[in-house]
Amino acid sequence: MTDDAADATRTDAAAAVDRVRERAADLAPALGATWTDDEPWRFLTDLTAIGSRMAGSEGERRAAGLVADAFERAGLADVRTEPFELPAWERGSASLDVTVSGRDGEPATRSFEALALPYSPSGSVAGELVDVGYGTPREIDERDVAGRIAVASTTTPEGGRFVHRMEKFGYAIDAGAVGFVFVNHLDGQLPPTGSLTFGEEAEAVAIGVSKETGAWLREYAVGGGNGIAAADVAQAELSVEASTTPGESRNVIGRAGPDTDERVLLLAHYDAHDIAEGALDNGCGIATVATAAGVLADADLPLGVDVVAVGAEEVGLLGAEHLADRLDLDRVKGVVNVDGAGRFRDLVALAHASTAAASVAEAVSTATRQPIAVDAQPHPFSDQWPFVRRGVPALQLHSDSGDRGRGWGHTHADTRDKVDDRNVREHAMLIALLVAEFAAPERDLPRLDRDELAAAFREADFETGMRAADLWPSDWD
């Protein structure tokens, strides 16, 4: 960068900070009201009281109604619900029986608690267990998984990017595994859940088990590192009952600001897995968006902001895909996706290879003296992905627990008692300012170049895993 270009960049950054400060002053009454508002907690209470909000379920339909009511109370215009079809997966039973030889040589069988992973087909498989550690491609390549049941952790080694469950499952099955066991890395007898694919039935049965169960399984698995003789390797039988049938989900849409041709999108998913209340994932996110919507409804915005609660995120970003397919994306200036904000104290902005989007978060952080950690690395596992892969700049707003992985998310423990609604209110205020800066006429948000985006995913070591999960775009080859 030349000295002149560097000076221009610094000038633009300073101007953005000034804009955010002026906007915060203009919105002081709305921001101040948000500071003490009990609506976020009441909305979150109503949402989590539903129970299951699984995509395509009656609970998800009821949740959409609560969101529409919240958008109306926030003052959004043109609030409406748009249904779309999906393959709706419904959980049945799951079992895991493990047979080992005792000291007397007699076989003994033990049954463990297990949860089917969404889009697992019905069926039963039997075979040896094989420990593939964290389930990274390198570890799977180091084990002979063919004809065996792969056992992989929910977490990832430090020092690299987080490897998603879908990548681990896809790579293990491609390598010949006949089944998959996903082991929680957190204590508490908490078997995890999480979809195996984006919106279609998977190729093999798969379950989640607790950390405590995983310790037993690894004791007798091939590659478990305990010096177990080959004759003593466990024989396991894994069974799942589940169904995938045609169903319906829906997006809930409202508008803040003028009805302009160009738009900014503010998104959060409101669905959740069926085994818990979905308070953290993503009850906090949709409560944050509904609260931010109330601030934006009072703002003098130069562009319209479409506020969208998307359905069916947990089973493949299906609501976001439906939204991206029906919109003219040339009219979408940028996307702010709230998936993970409101949970923990400090906001994190994932910029998905857009330096311009990153600079929005940096400007708001500087202007408000609130810490917002910015990470430019992209990933395909939240609702910004259908837009990013088509070149639309985006921010995903998350929050930092200090721990690696999902924490309570995707387990029975994702309940309302884990939530501090001060985080929801504070993050809502910051997100309102972020969205308003996205909409500023002075804010230039260049489109993402396809080749540069593909290179960014390759540099982040995503290609192998995304291909295994069938997520690598065909036009990136």
Side-chain angles (χ1 to χ4, degrees), residues 12 44-45 72 94 178 181 185 245 288-289 310 366 390 423 454 465:
D12 289 345
L44 187 64
T45 297
E72 294 274 8
V178 297
V181 180
H185 67 286
T245 57
T288 299
V289 162
V310 291
T366 300
R390 293 172 170 93
N423 297 332

Side-chain angles (χ1 to χ4, degrees), residues 92-391:
S93 62
S95 63
L96 175 62
D97 298 325
V98 180
T99 301
V100 297
S101 296
R103 291 191 182 189
D104 59 2
E106 292 298 315
T109 299
R110 182 178 178 185
S111 297
F112 293 92
E113 180 186 9
L115 284 175
L117 300 185
Y119 286 134
S120 172
S122 288
S124 298
V125 295
E128 294 178 337
L129 298 167
V130 55
D131 182 5
V132 296
Y134 296 104
T136 62
R138 179 185 60 79
E139 290 170 301
I140 292 170
D141 286 343
E142 289 173 352
R143 300 280 186 255
D144 179 9
V145 303
R148 291 168 167 162
I149 298 170
V151 179
S153 172
T154 55
T155 193
T156 307
E158 294 288 348
R161 71 170 181 87
F162 195 85
V163 181
H164 195 272
R165 165 191 65 256
M166 288 175 58
E167 300 176 80
K168 299 177 183 186
F169 169 78
Y171 199 85
I173 300 307
D174 283 351
V178 297
F180 183 78
V181 180
F182 200 40
V183 179
N184 202 343
H185 67 286
L186 298 177
D187 296 331
Q189 291 287 4
L190 294 170
T193 190
S195 185
L196 298 169
T197 61
F198 274 10
E200 61 183 5
E201 195 162 270
E203 295 181 14
V205 294
I207 59 169
V209 301
S210 69
K211 178 181 178 181
E212 293 80 3
T213 293
W216 281 101
L217 301 185
R218 288 193 164 110
E219 184 76 18
Y220 293 102
V222 175
N226 295 303
I228 301 299
D232 293 329
V233 169
Q235 296 294 313
E237 183 173 358
L238 167 58
S239 296
V240 167
E241 292 183 2
S243 63
T244 304
T245 57
E248 184 178 86
S249 182
R250 52 203 49 79
N251 294 336
V252 184
I253 304 168
R255 176 175 50 81
D259 188 8
T260 52
D261 286 340
E262 189 176 32
R263 304 286 182 142
V264 173
L265 298 184
L266 173 59
L267 311 177
H269 77 89
Y270 67 92
D271 64 306
H273 284 290
D274 56 335
I275 64 169
E277 297 171 3
L280 296 169
D281 188 8
N282 191 37
C284 285
I286 190 59
T288 299
V289 162
T291 306
V295 179
L296 291 168
D298 282 348
D300 182 15
L301 296 168
L303 293 181
V305 174
D306 286 343
V307 183
V308 187
V310 291
E313 187 270 354
E314 294 290 7
V315 295
L317 320 182
L318 303 184
E321 288 284 0
H322 172 77
L323 184 66
D325 285 344
R326 75 161 189 81
L327 291 178
D328 178 357
L329 296 185
D330 289 338
R331 296 170 53 190
V332 177
K333 184 177 183 181
V335 173
V336 177
N337 172 35
V338 182
D339 188 3
R343 301 179 195 176
F344 309 112
R345 186 69 185 94
D346 291 337
L347 201 60
V348 176
L350 308 178
H352 296 280
S354 170
T355 56
S359 69
V360 173
E362 290 161 354
V364 172
S365 179
T366 300
T368 60
R369 298 183 61 250
Q370 295 286 338
I372 302 177
V374 179
D375 185 348
Q377 181 173 286
H379 72 77
F381 296 111
S382 191
D383 286 316
Q384 78 288 326
W385 170 238
F387 301 92
V388 166
R389 76 168 188 267
R390 293 172 170 93

